[in-house]
Amino acid sequence: MLFGSMFARNPAAVRHPDVELIAQVIAREPAACRAFVERLTPVIQSRVNAALVRRKRGSRTEVLDLTQEVFRALLDDGAKILRSWDPERGASLAGFVAIVAERRVASILVSGRKSGAREDPQDTEELQKSDPGPTPEMHTISHDLLERILDQLRARLSDRGYEMFHLFFVEEADVQTICARTGLARDAVYTWKARILRMVKVIAGELEPVEALGSDPATSPRSHKGGRG
Amino acid sequence: MSDRHSDDEGLGAMLGKLAKKQAEDAEAWQNEEHRGDRSELRPIDDLERARMTAALFGEPKKARSLPRWLPIAAIFLLIAFPAALLLIRGANDGGALPRYQLTVASGAAMVRSSTAADDRYSTGSRFELVFQPDTRTEEVPEISVARIDPADPGATPHPLQVPIEKSEGGAFRIRGELGRDFSFPPGPQILRITVGRKNAVQQFHYRFVVSDLER
């Protein structure tokens, strides 16, 4: 639906080599499976390493486990996520997998959820909630808080939601480009943007009081609401 | 209203910049100089990758058009040679359960001894056994795990509660960390894993050794 599948489209045309690779992986062709793991391991591991370093942790077992978990997420449910990759939308397979890895690793580290467990992305539900309140003043946001907001955002957004975040705010693509790359109508694209920004505000509102609690009261730039401390 | 809107956008833009920077940093972690003394972040090597591939996909499939009687004959042969390290006793009575294959996919913490055939583990070792059906099945198999006393293999096996993860298609894995998710006394061990129902069970016996040395 949202994620178009290359496999159903124009079967007579010559398929992109990576689409062919994915088809062979789904068919469990041994050479393709090995090539797939060999090719994508560095991309996934780089995201795993970076996420572990940011959290000041990381044993060899964790590196291996998390890398394997990302592969498993890509392959779960008949390789649903992998099949959603479409070279015509602009991202390379490695780029697409990197985005999935960023979100999945954050999700596992934040929530402990692994592939196979039920994903429970909240990005469709957050919109229904009441106004989360004002956006924190940007000059008061520390780098650490920003990192934690981003972690939470990755953990709470669906794969689709994080892809939209990437298009809007990392690639800074314009709406027309996003429409072309996702196949969504303009209204739907704007709805996604509003949904993501709303979730950011909700997360910032949740984390900000914690941030203020952990900082020096004398230098803390903002007071915090609530009765914690 | 428009100020709030631009604040929201500004925060989104800050997060986008941070995500971009993190992606660039992530690429740098593949670089040895950047890693410094954090050897645990070294690139996953061939052996580790082979284990991961086996855990994800199982062993490569053999010829697809094997005669149907061949697996049964193989099972009888295995029964006739109980000295085999992994004894697979298939009592599949033609039910819907496909034939399972066991792959030992434990991670880098597992040590393969050069002098003994058995896998060796110690406290903190990652323990992972992957069971892959030769054909996909929608049926969720019943799984039970028991420890057999190697000093008295005839005694009643002791049932064990172990972490089992099931995935779509019928595959499942037993995975955890020794000392945290599993606890075995030091010395040789035999795990009996039973897959399937009463009249259609397959049993696997996995032999390994637990070292009492802390890593």
Side-chain angles (χ1 to χ4, degrees), chain A residues 28 45 47 49 58 60 65 68-69 72 77 114 135 154 169 201, chain B residues 4 8 16 22 26-27 40-42 44 48 57 126 128 168 173 175:
Chain A
R28 291 178 171 262
Q45 194 197 348
R47 267 57 186 182
N49 282 359
R60 190 63 179 165
D65 270 356
Q68 189 169 307
E69 281 302 324
R72 206 172 287 283
D77 202 8
K114 291 189 174 178
T135 306
R154 285 173 175 144
F169 298 108
K201 282 171 74 175
Chain B
R4 276 188 61 182
D8 294 350
Q22 286 182 352
E27 298 295 338
E40 68 277 12
L41 303 179
R42 68 190 179 277
I44 290 173
E48 290 166 334
F57 299 102
R126 178 165 163 251
E128 182 171 353
E168 195 182 323
R173 63 178 168 179
R175 188 172 73 149

PDB file of all heavy atoms in Angstrom, chain A residues 28 45 47 49 58 60 65 68-69 72 77 114 135 154 169 201, chain B residues 4 8 16 22 26-27 40-42 44 48 57 126 128 168 173 175:
ATOM      1  N   ARG A  28      15.820 -17.941  -0.759  1.00  0.00           N
ATOM      2  CA  ARG A  28      16.871 -18.590   0.029  1.00  0.00           C
ATOM      3  C   ARG A  28      17.942 -19.263  -0.837  1.00  0.00           C
ATOM      4  O   ARG A  28      18.396 -20.376  -0.538  1.00  0.00           O
ATOM      5  CB  ARG A  28      16.266 -19.601   1.009  1.00  0.00           C
ATOM      6  CG  ARG A  28      15.496 -18.909   2.099  1.00  0.00           C
ATOM      7  CD  ARG A  28      14.853 -19.896   3.025  1.00  0.00           C
ATOM      8  NE  ARG A  28      14.305 -19.168   4.176  1.00  0.00           N
ATOM      9  CZ  ARG A  28      14.915 -19.054   5.340  1.00  0.00           C
ATOM     10  NH1 ARG A  28      16.073 -19.621   5.536  1.00  0.00           N
ATOM     11  NH2 ARG A  28      14.364 -18.391   6.325  1.00  0.00           N
ATOM     12  N   GLN A  45      26.306  -2.709  10.825  1.00  0.00           N
ATOM     13  CA  GLN A  45      27.188  -2.660  11.997  1.00  0.00           C
ATOM     14  C   GLN A  45      27.614  -1.229  12.315  1.00  0.00           C
ATOM     15  O   GLN A  45      27.768  -0.862  13.484  1.00  0.00           O
ATOM     16  CB  GLN A  45      28.430  -3.538  11.786  1.00  0.00           C
ATOM     17  CG  GLN A  45      29.167  -3.764  13.101  1.00  0.00           C
ATOM     18  CD  GLN A  45      30.591  -4.258  12.924  1.00  0.00           C
ATOM     19  OE1 GLN A  45      30.990  -4.658  11.832  1.00  0.00           O
ATOM     20  NE2 GLN A  45      31.362  -4.228  13.997  1.00  0.00           N
ATOM     21  N   ARG A  47      25.860   1.427  12.078  1.00  0.00           N
ATOM     22  CA  ARG A  47      24.767   2.051  12.852  1.00  0.00           C
ATOM     23  C   ARG A  47      24.708   1.467  14.253  1.00  0.00           C
ATOM     24  O   ARG A  47      24.427   2.179  15.223  1.00  0.00           O
ATOM     25  CB  ARG A  47      23.428   1.838  12.140  1.00  0.00           C
ATOM     26  CG  ARG A  47      23.023   2.957  11.214  1.00  0.00           C
ATOM     27  CD  ARG A  47      24.043   3.243  10.163  1.00  0.00           C
ATOM     28  NE  ARG A  47      23.720   4.413   9.346  1.00  0.00           N
ATOM     29  CZ  ARG A  47      24.468   4.826   8.339  1.00  0.00           C
ATOM     30  NH1 ARG A  47      25.605   4.213   8.044  1.00  0.00           N
ATOM     31  NH2 ARG A  47      24.126   5.877   7.638  1.00  0.00           N
ATOM     32  N   ASN A  49      27.294   0.166  15.945  1.00  0.00           N
ATOM     33  CA  ASN A  49      28.432   0.701  16.693  1.00  0.00           C
ATOM     34  C   ASN A  49      28.150   2.119  17.188  1.00  0.00           C
ATOM     35  O   ASN A  49      28.380   2.444  18.355  1.00  0.00           O
ATOM     36  CB  ASN A  49      29.671   0.739  15.793  1.00  0.00           C
ATOM     37  CG  ASN A  49      30.326  -0.627  15.635  1.00  0.00           C
ATOM     38  OD1 ASN A  49      29.873  -1.608  16.216  1.00  0.00           O
ATOM     39  ND2 ASN A  49      31.373  -0.704  14.840  1.00  0.00           N
ATOM     40  N   GLY A  58      28.497  -1.424  24.921  1.00  0.00           N
ATOM     41  CA  GLY A  58      28.761  -2.202  23.717  1.00  0.00           C
ATOM     42  C   GLY A  58      29.777  -3.284  23.913  1.00  0.00           C
ATOM     43  O   GLY A  58      30.966  -3.022  23.882  1.00  0.00           O
ATOM     44  N   ARG A  60      31.086  -7.163  22.462  1.00  0.00           N
ATOM     45  CA  ARG A  60      31.084  -7.822  21.150  1.00  0.00           C
ATOM     46  C   ARG A  60      29.761  -8.559  20.932  1.00  0.00           C
ATOM     47  O   ARG A  60      29.216  -8.577  19.837  1.00  0.00           O
ATOM     48  CB  ARG A  60      32.275  -8.790  21.075  1.00  0.00           C
ATOM     49  CG  ARG A  60      32.512  -9.348  19.679  1.00  0.00           C
ATOM     50  CD  ARG A  60      32.856  -8.244  18.713  1.00  0.00           C
ATOM     51  NE  ARG A  60      33.123  -8.720  17.377  1.00  0.00           N
ATOM     52  CZ  ARG A  60      33.169  -7.917  16.317  1.00  0.00           C
ATOM     53  NH1 ARG A  60      32.958  -6.634  16.434  1.00  0.00           N
ATOM     54  NH2 ARG A  60      33.426  -8.405  15.128  1.00  0.00           N
ATOM     55  N   ASP A  65      24.631  -9.318  18.245  1.00  0.00           N
ATOM     56  CA  ASP A  65      23.185  -9.511  18.451  1.00  0.00           C
ATOM     57  C   ASP A  65      22.367  -8.453  17.723  1.00  0.00           C
ATOM     58  O   ASP A  65      21.391  -8.765  17.042  1.00  0.00           O
ATOM     59  CB  ASP A  65      22.843  -9.437  19.947  1.00  0.00           C
ATOM     60  CG  ASP A  65      22.918 -10.798  20.594  1.00  0.00           C
ATOM     61  OD1 ASP A  65      23.153 -11.771  19.853  1.00  0.00           O
ATOM     62  OD2 ASP A  65      22.745 -10.887  21.815  1.00  0.00           O
ATOM     63  N   GLN A  68      22.484  -8.779  13.977  1.00  0.00           N
ATOM     64  CA  GLN A  68      21.632  -9.896  13.555  1.00  0.00           C
ATOM     65  C   GLN A  68      20.147  -9.524  13.665  1.00  0.00           C
ATOM     66  O   GLN A  68      19.341  -9.902  12.829  1.00  0.00           O
ATOM     67  CB  GLN A  68      21.940 -11.131  14.406  1.00  0.00           C
ATOM     68  CG  GLN A  68      21.256 -12.383  13.901  1.00  0.00           C
ATOM     69  CD  GLN A  68      21.773 -13.624  14.594  1.00  0.00           C
ATOM     70  OE1 GLN A  68      22.981 -13.854  14.633  1.00  0.00           O
ATOM     71  NE2 GLN A  68      20.891 -14.422  15.142  1.00  0.00           N
ATOM     72  N   GLU A  69      19.814  -8.784  14.716  1.00  0.00           N
ATOM     73  CA  GLU A  69      18.409  -8.394  14.895  1.00  0.00           C
ATOM     74  C   GLU A  69      17.919  -7.503  13.751  1.00  0.00           C
ATOM     75  O   GLU A  69      16.769  -7.597  13.335  1.00  0.00           O
ATOM     76  CB  GLU A  69      18.216  -7.665  16.231  1.00  0.00           C
ATOM     77  CG  GLU A  69      18.155  -8.590  17.419  1.00  0.00           C
ATOM     78  CD  GLU A  69      17.034  -9.618  17.305  1.00  0.00           C
ATOM     79  OE1 GLU A  69      15.968  -9.284  16.782  1.00  0.00           O
ATOM     80  OE2 GLU A  69      17.237 -10.751  17.729  1.00  0.00           O
ATOM     81  N   ARG A  72      17.298  -9.646  10.893  1.00  0.00           N
ATOM     82  CA  ARG A  72      16.068 -10.426  11.115  1.00  0.00           C
ATOM     83  C   ARG A  72      14.828  -9.566  10.846  1.00  0.00           C
ATOM     84  O   ARG A  72      13.853 -10.014  10.262  1.00  0.00           O
ATOM     85  CB  ARG A  72      16.040 -10.976  12.550  1.00  0.00           C
ATOM     86  CG  ARG A  72      15.210 -12.224  12.685  1.00  0.00           C
ATOM     87  CD  ARG A  72      15.366 -12.839  14.049  1.00  0.00           C
ATOM     88  NE  ARG A  72      16.642 -13.496  14.254  1.00  0.00           N
ATOM     89  CZ  ARG A  72      16.955 -14.686  13.756  1.00  0.00           C
ATOM     90  NH1 ARG A  72      16.084 -15.336  13.027  1.00  0.00           N
ATOM     91  NH2 ARG A  72      18.120 -15.226  14.007  1.00  0.00           N
ATOM     92  N   ASP A  77       8.528 -11.673   8.317  1.00  0.00           N
ATOM     93  CA  ASP A  77       7.243 -11.500   7.625  1.00  0.00           C
ATOM     94  C   ASP A  77       7.428 -11.547   6.111  1.00  0.00           C
ATOM     95  O   ASP A  77       6.944 -10.676   5.372  1.00  0.00           O
ATOM     96  CB  ASP A  77       6.641 -10.142   8.047  1.00  0.00           C
ATOM     97  CG  ASP A  77       5.135 -10.116   7.824  1.00  0.00           C
ATOM     98  OD1 ASP A  77       4.567 -11.181   7.495  1.00  0.00           O
ATOM     99  OD2 ASP A  77       4.538  -9.039   7.965  1.00  0.00           O
ATOM    100  N   LYS A 114      12.496  -6.678  20.269  1.00  0.00           N
ATOM    101  CA  LYS A 114      13.282  -7.270  19.199  1.00  0.00           C
ATOM    102  C   LYS A 114      12.371  -7.661  18.054  1.00  0.00           C
ATOM    103  O   LYS A 114      11.161  -7.666  18.198  1.00  0.00           O
ATOM    104  CB  LYS A 114      14.047  -8.492  19.703  1.00  0.00           C
ATOM    105  CG  LYS A 114      15.133  -8.109  20.671  1.00  0.00           C
ATOM    106  CD  LYS A 114      16.006  -9.259  20.978  1.00  0.00           C
ATOM    107  CE  LYS A 114      17.178  -8.809  21.829  1.00  0.00           C
ATOM    108  NZ  LYS A 114      18.053  -9.893  22.212  1.00  0.00           N
ATOM    109  N   THR A 135       6.261  24.164  22.025  1.00  0.00           N
ATOM    110  CA  THR A 135       7.541  23.573  21.677  1.00  0.00           C
ATOM    111  C   THR A 135       8.608  24.168  22.588  1.00  0.00           C
ATOM    112  O   THR A 135       8.589  25.368  22.835  1.00  0.00           O
ATOM    113  CB  THR A 135       7.900  23.938  20.219  1.00  0.00           C
ATOM    114  OG1 THR A 135       6.814  23.540  19.392  1.00  0.00           O
ATOM    115  CG2 THR A 135       9.167  23.243  19.779  1.00  0.00           C
ATOM    116  N   ARG A 154      12.924   7.679  17.053  1.00  0.00           N
ATOM    117  CA  ARG A 154      13.191   6.461  16.283  1.00  0.00           C
ATOM    118  C   ARG A 154      12.446   5.268  16.859  1.00  0.00           C
ATOM    119  O   ARG A 154      11.951   4.418  16.137  1.00  0.00           O
ATOM    120  CB  ARG A 154      14.698   6.174  16.273  1.00  0.00           C
ATOM    121  CG  ARG A 154      15.478   7.082  15.360  1.00  0.00           C
ATOM    122  CD  ARG A 154      16.967   6.850  15.523  1.00  0.00           C
ATOM    123  NE  ARG A 154      17.741   7.635  14.580  1.00  0.00           N
ATOM    124  CZ  ARG A 154      18.921   8.177  14.848  1.00  0.00           C
ATOM    125  NH1 ARG A 154      19.462   8.030  16.044  1.00  0.00           N
ATOM    126  NH2 ARG A 154      19.551   8.862  13.937  1.00  0.00           N
ATOM    127  N   PHE A 169      13.559  15.960   7.080  1.00  0.00           N
ATOM    128  CA  PHE A 169      14.479  16.719   7.935  1.00  0.00           C
ATOM    129  C   PHE A 169      15.954  16.343   7.766  1.00  0.00           C
ATOM    130  O   PHE A 169      16.815  17.108   8.162  1.00  0.00           O
ATOM    131  CB  PHE A 169      14.069  16.559   9.399  1.00  0.00           C
ATOM    132  CG  PHE A 169      12.689  17.101   9.655  1.00  0.00           C
ATOM    133  CD1 PHE A 169      11.626  16.245   9.895  1.00  0.00           C
ATOM    134  CD2 PHE A 169      12.443  18.468   9.609  1.00  0.00           C
ATOM    135  CE1 PHE A 169      10.351  16.736  10.108  1.00  0.00           C
ATOM    136  CE2 PHE A 169      11.176  18.973   9.817  1.00  0.00           C
ATOM    137  CZ  PHE A 169      10.114  18.108  10.064  1.00  0.00           C
ATOM    138  N   LYS A 201       7.168  17.039  19.652  1.00  0.00           N
ATOM    139  CA  LYS A 201       6.757  17.901  20.783  1.00  0.00           C
ATOM    140  C   LYS A 201       6.360  17.068  22.000  1.00  0.00           C
ATOM    141  O   LYS A 201       6.679  17.420  23.141  1.00  0.00           O
ATOM    142  CB  LYS A 201       5.577  18.781  20.357  1.00  0.00           C
ATOM    143  CG  LYS A 201       6.011  19.955  19.505  1.00  0.00           C
ATOM    144  CD  LYS A 201       4.826  20.676  18.913  1.00  0.00           C
ATOM    145  CE  LYS A 201       4.087  21.498  19.954  1.00  0.00           C
ATOM    146  NZ  LYS A 201       2.995  22.280  19.321  1.00  0.00           N
TER     147      LYS A 201
ATOM    148  N   ARG B   4       4.852  29.381  16.641  1.00  0.00           N
ATOM    149  CA  ARG B   4       4.877  27.992  17.128  1.00  0.00           C
ATOM    150  C   ARG B   4       5.196  27.041  16.005  1.00  0.00           C
ATOM    151  O   ARG B   4       5.953  26.104  16.147  1.00  0.00           O
ATOM    152  CB  ARG B   4       3.519  27.640  17.755  1.00  0.00           C
ATOM    153  CG  ARG B   4       3.401  28.071  19.178  1.00  0.00           C
ATOM    154  CD  ARG B   4       2.140  27.535  19.774  1.00  0.00           C
ATOM    155  NE  ARG B   4       2.123  26.084  19.763  1.00  0.00           N
ATOM    156  CZ  ARG B   4       1.098  25.380  20.209  1.00  0.00           C
ATOM    157  NH1 ARG B   4       0.034  25.967  20.684  1.00  0.00           N
ATOM    158  NH2 ARG B   4       1.135  24.075  20.184  1.00  0.00           N
ATOM    159  N   ASP B   8       8.342  24.535  15.791  1.00  0.00           N
ATOM    160  CA  ASP B   8       8.229  23.093  15.526  1.00  0.00           C
ATOM    161  C   ASP B   8       9.162  22.683  14.397  1.00  0.00           C
ATOM    162  O   ASP B   8       9.894  21.702  14.477  1.00  0.00           O
ATOM    163  CB  ASP B   8       6.787  22.727  15.135  1.00  0.00           C
ATOM    164  CG  ASP B   8       5.817  22.945  16.283  1.00  0.00           C
ATOM    165  OD1 ASP B   8       6.294  23.195  17.396  1.00  0.00           O
ATOM    166  OD2 ASP B   8       4.599  22.867  16.048  1.00  0.00           O
ATOM    167  N   GLY B  16      16.969  16.702  12.404  1.00  0.00           N
ATOM    168  CA  GLY B  16      17.449  16.226  11.105  1.00  0.00           C
ATOM    169  C   GLY B  16      18.960  16.384  10.988  1.00  0.00           C
ATOM    170  O   GLY B  16      19.662  15.482  10.521  1.00  0.00           O
ATOM    171  N   GLN B  22      24.991  11.999  13.012  1.00  0.00           N
ATOM    172  CA  GLN B  22      25.140  10.640  13.574  1.00  0.00           C
ATOM    173  C   GLN B  22      25.422   9.629  12.474  1.00  0.00           C
ATOM    174  O   GLN B  22      26.207   8.692  12.653  1.00  0.00           O
ATOM    175  CB  GLN B  22      23.876  10.249  14.334  1.00  0.00           C
ATOM    176  CG  GLN B  22      23.727  10.961  15.663  1.00  0.00           C
ATOM    177  CD  GLN B  22      22.495  10.523  16.429  1.00  0.00           C
ATOM    178  OE1 GLN B  22      21.649   9.791  15.907  1.00  0.00           O
ATOM    179  NE2 GLN B  22      22.373  10.959  17.664  1.00  0.00           N
ATOM    180  N   ALA B  26      28.610   7.345  12.191  1.00  0.00           N
ATOM    181  CA  ALA B  26      28.452   5.892  12.091  1.00  0.00           C
ATOM    182  C   ALA B  26      29.396   5.323  11.038  1.00  0.00           C
ATOM    183  O   ALA B  26      30.029   4.294  11.244  1.00  0.00           O
ATOM    184  CB  ALA B  26      27.001   5.544  11.753  1.00  0.00           C
ATOM    185  N   GLU B  27      29.494   6.026   9.917  1.00  0.00           N
ATOM    186  CA  GLU B  27      30.411   5.565   8.862  1.00  0.00           C
ATOM    187  C   GLU B  27      31.844   5.543   9.395  1.00  0.00           C
ATOM    188  O   GLU B  27      32.630   4.659   9.084  1.00  0.00           O
ATOM    189  CB  GLU B  27      30.323   6.484   7.635  1.00  0.00           C
ATOM    190  CG  GLU B  27      28.945   6.524   6.974  1.00  0.00           C
ATOM    191  CD  GLU B  27      28.545   5.190   6.373  1.00  0.00           C
ATOM    192  OE1 GLU B  27      29.435   4.381   6.084  1.00  0.00           O
ATOM    193  OE2 GLU B  27      27.316   4.958   6.229  1.00  0.00           O
ATOM    194  N   GLU B  40      35.988  -4.222  20.437  1.00  0.00           N
ATOM    195  CA  GLU B  40      34.697  -4.910  20.311  1.00  0.00           C
ATOM    196  C   GLU B  40      33.873  -4.350  19.147  1.00  0.00           C
ATOM    197  O   GLU B  40      32.913  -4.971  18.701  1.00  0.00           O
ATOM    198  CB  GLU B  40      33.905  -4.828  21.622  1.00  0.00           C
ATOM    199  CG  GLU B  40      33.407  -3.448  22.021  1.00  0.00           C
ATOM    200  CD  GLU B  40      34.463  -2.603  22.738  1.00  0.00           C
ATOM    201  OE1 GLU B  40      35.648  -2.987  22.723  1.00  0.00           O
ATOM    202  OE2 GLU B  40      34.087  -1.556  23.298  1.00  0.00           O
ATOM    203  N   LEU B  41      34.291  -3.164  18.654  1.00  0.00           N
ATOM    204  CA  LEU B  41      33.558  -2.556  17.540  1.00  0.00           C
ATOM    205  C   LEU B  41      34.191  -2.899  16.185  1.00  0.00           C
ATOM    206  O   LEU B  41      33.770  -2.375  15.160  1.00  0.00           O
ATOM    207  CB  LEU B  41      33.514  -1.029  17.709  1.00  0.00           C
ATOM    208  CG  LEU B  41      32.902  -0.504  19.005  1.00  0.00           C
ATOM    209  CD1 LEU B  41      32.950   1.021  19.034  1.00  0.00           C
ATOM    210  CD2 LEU B  41      31.463  -0.966  19.174  1.00  0.00           C
ATOM    211  N   ARG B  42      35.217  -3.773  16.207  1.00  0.00           N
ATOM    212  CA  ARG B  42      35.895  -4.120  14.951  1.00  0.00           C
ATOM    213  C   ARG B  42      34.875  -4.712  13.964  1.00  0.00           C
ATOM    214  O   ARG B  42      33.844  -5.248  14.378  1.00  0.00           O
ATOM    215  CB  ARG B  42      37.024  -5.126  15.218  1.00  0.00           C
ATOM    216  CG  ARG B  42      36.527  -6.486  15.660  1.00  0.00           C
ATOM    217  CD  ARG B  42      37.646  -7.385  16.152  1.00  0.00           C
ATOM    218  NE  ARG B  42      37.136  -8.673  16.593  1.00  0.00           N
ATOM    219  CZ  ARG B  42      36.619  -8.922  17.789  1.00  0.00           C
ATOM    220  NH1 ARG B  42      36.533  -7.953  18.693  1.00  0.00           N
ATOM    221  NH2 ARG B  42      36.193 -10.127  18.100  1.00  0.00           N
ATOM    222  N   ILE B  44      32.762  -7.046  11.706  1.00  0.00           N
ATOM    223  CA  ILE B  44      32.357  -8.443  11.859  1.00  0.00           C
ATOM    224  C   ILE B  44      33.147  -9.283  10.853  1.00  0.00           C
ATOM    225  O   ILE B  44      33.184  -8.945   9.661  1.00  0.00           O
ATOM    226  CB  ILE B  44      30.830  -8.562  11.651  1.00  0.00           C
ATOM    227  CG1 ILE B  44      30.118  -7.903  12.842  1.00  0.00           C
ATOM    228  CG2 ILE B  44      30.394 -10.000  11.464  1.00  0.00           C
ATOM    229  CD1 ILE B  44      28.614  -7.782  12.720  1.00  0.00           C
ATOM    230  N   GLU B  48      32.242 -14.832  12.024  1.00  0.00           N
ATOM    231  CA  GLU B  48      31.047 -14.259  12.673  1.00  0.00           C
ATOM    232  C   GLU B  48      29.913 -14.090  11.668  1.00  0.00           C
ATOM    233  O   GLU B  48      28.743 -14.353  11.957  1.00  0.00           O
ATOM    234  CB  GLU B  48      31.401 -12.909  13.309  1.00  0.00           C
ATOM    235  CG  GLU B  48      32.302 -13.034  14.522  1.00  0.00           C
ATOM    236  CD  GLU B  48      32.918 -11.708  14.946  1.00  0.00           C
ATOM    237  OE1 GLU B  48      33.079 -10.805  14.099  1.00  0.00           O
ATOM    238  OE2 GLU B  48      33.252 -11.576  16.133  1.00  0.00           O
ATOM    239  N   PHE B  57      19.428 -17.857   7.992  1.00  0.00           N
ATOM    240  CA  PHE B  57      18.877 -18.629   6.878  1.00  0.00           C
ATOM    241  C   PHE B  57      18.960 -20.138   7.089  1.00  0.00           C
ATOM    242  O   PHE B  57      18.437 -20.885   6.288  1.00  0.00           O
ATOM    243  CB  PHE B  57      19.617 -18.288   5.581  1.00  0.00           C
ATOM    244  CG  PHE B  57      19.505 -16.848   5.189  1.00  0.00           C
ATOM    245  CD1 PHE B  57      20.547 -15.968   5.423  1.00  0.00           C
ATOM    246  CD2 PHE B  57      18.351 -16.357   4.606  1.00  0.00           C
ATOM    247  CE1 PHE B  57      20.451 -14.636   5.062  1.00  0.00           C
ATOM    248  CE2 PHE B  57      18.239 -15.024   4.252  1.00  0.00           C
ATOM    249  CZ  PHE B  57      19.296 -14.160   4.480  1.00  0.00           C
ATOM    250  N   ARG B 126      27.389 -16.549  24.777  1.00  0.00           N
ATOM    251  CA  ARG B 126      26.113 -16.482  24.058  1.00  0.00           C
ATOM    252  C   ARG B 126      25.782 -17.882  23.566  1.00  0.00           C
ATOM    253  O   ARG B 126      26.636 -18.578  23.021  1.00  0.00           O
ATOM    254  CB  ARG B 126      26.284 -15.526  22.874  1.00  0.00           C
ATOM    255  CG  ARG B 126      25.094 -15.385  21.998  1.00  0.00           C
ATOM    256  CD  ARG B 126      25.310 -14.131  21.133  1.00  0.00           C
ATOM    257  NE  ARG B 126      24.412 -14.147  19.997  1.00  0.00           N
ATOM    258  CZ  ARG B 126      24.804 -14.355  18.745  1.00  0.00           C
ATOM    259  NH1 ARG B 126      26.072 -14.572  18.482  1.00  0.00           N
ATOM    260  NH2 ARG B 126      23.935 -14.323  17.768  1.00  0.00           N
ATOM    261  N   GLU B 128      23.111 -20.087  21.293  1.00  0.00           N
ATOM    262  CA  GLU B 128      22.018 -19.924  20.324  1.00  0.00           C
ATOM    263  C   GLU B 128      21.909 -21.156  19.443  1.00  0.00           C
ATOM    264  O   GLU B 128      22.853 -21.535  18.759  1.00  0.00           O
ATOM    265  CB  GLU B 128      22.243 -18.680  19.449  1.00  0.00           C
ATOM    266  CG  GLU B 128      21.098 -18.470  18.468  1.00  0.00           C
ATOM    267  CD  GLU B 128      21.178 -17.138  17.730  1.00  0.00           C
ATOM    268  OE1 GLU B 128      22.056 -16.323  18.073  1.00  0.00           O
ATOM    269  OE2 GLU B 128      20.361 -16.931  16.821  1.00  0.00           O
ATOM    270  N   GLU B 168       7.892 -16.422  12.009  1.00  0.00           N
ATOM    271  CA  GLU B 168       6.944 -16.866  10.995  1.00  0.00           C
ATOM    272  C   GLU B 168       7.578 -17.955  10.132  1.00  0.00           C
ATOM    273  O   GLU B 168       8.782 -17.955   9.919  1.00  0.00           O
ATOM    274  CB  GLU B 168       6.581 -15.668  10.107  1.00  0.00           C
ATOM    275  CG  GLU B 168       5.358 -15.922   9.281  1.00  0.00           C
ATOM    276  CD  GLU B 168       5.071 -14.741   8.382  1.00  0.00           C
ATOM    277  OE1 GLU B 168       5.293 -13.625   8.859  1.00  0.00           O
ATOM    278  OE2 GLU B 168       4.638 -14.943   7.266  1.00  0.00           O
ATOM    279  N   ARG B 173      14.195 -20.325  17.645  1.00  0.00           N
ATOM    280  CA  ARG B 173      15.555 -20.417  18.169  1.00  0.00           C
ATOM    281  C   ARG B 173      15.526 -20.370  19.686  1.00  0.00           C
ATOM    282  O   ARG B 173      14.642 -19.756  20.291  1.00  0.00           O
ATOM    283  CB  ARG B 173      16.453 -19.317  17.621  1.00  0.00           C
ATOM    284  CG  ARG B 173      16.033 -17.942  18.010  1.00  0.00           C
ATOM    285  CD  ARG B 173      17.007 -16.918  17.466  1.00  0.00           C
ATOM    286  NE  ARG B 173      16.462 -15.580  17.598  1.00  0.00           N
ATOM    287  CZ  ARG B 173      17.079 -14.481  17.233  1.00  0.00           C
ATOM    288  NH1 ARG B 173      18.273 -14.543  16.721  1.00  0.00           N
ATOM    289  NH2 ARG B 173      16.511 -13.307  17.380  1.00  0.00           N
ATOM    290  N   ARG B 175      17.802 -19.036  22.601  1.00  0.00           N
ATOM    291  CA  ARG B 175      18.917 -18.103  22.649  1.00  0.00           C
ATOM    292  C   ARG B 175      19.004 -17.424  24.001  1.00  0.00           C
ATOM    293  O   ARG B 175      17.980 -17.081  24.594  1.00  0.00           O
ATOM    294  CB  ARG B 175      18.756 -17.036  21.567  1.00  0.00           C
ATOM    295  CG  ARG B 175      19.981 -16.148  21.448  1.00  0.00           C
ATOM    296  CD  ARG B 175      19.867 -15.260  20.272  1.00  0.00           C
ATOM    297  NE  ARG B 175      18.893 -14.217  20.516  1.00  0.00           N
ATOM    298  CZ  ARG B 175      18.988 -13.006  19.981  1.00  0.00           C
ATOM    299  NH1 ARG B 175      19.981 -12.727  19.188  1.00  0.00           N
ATOM    300  NH2 ARG B 175      18.081 -12.098  20.225  1.00  0.00           N
TER     301      ARG B 175
END
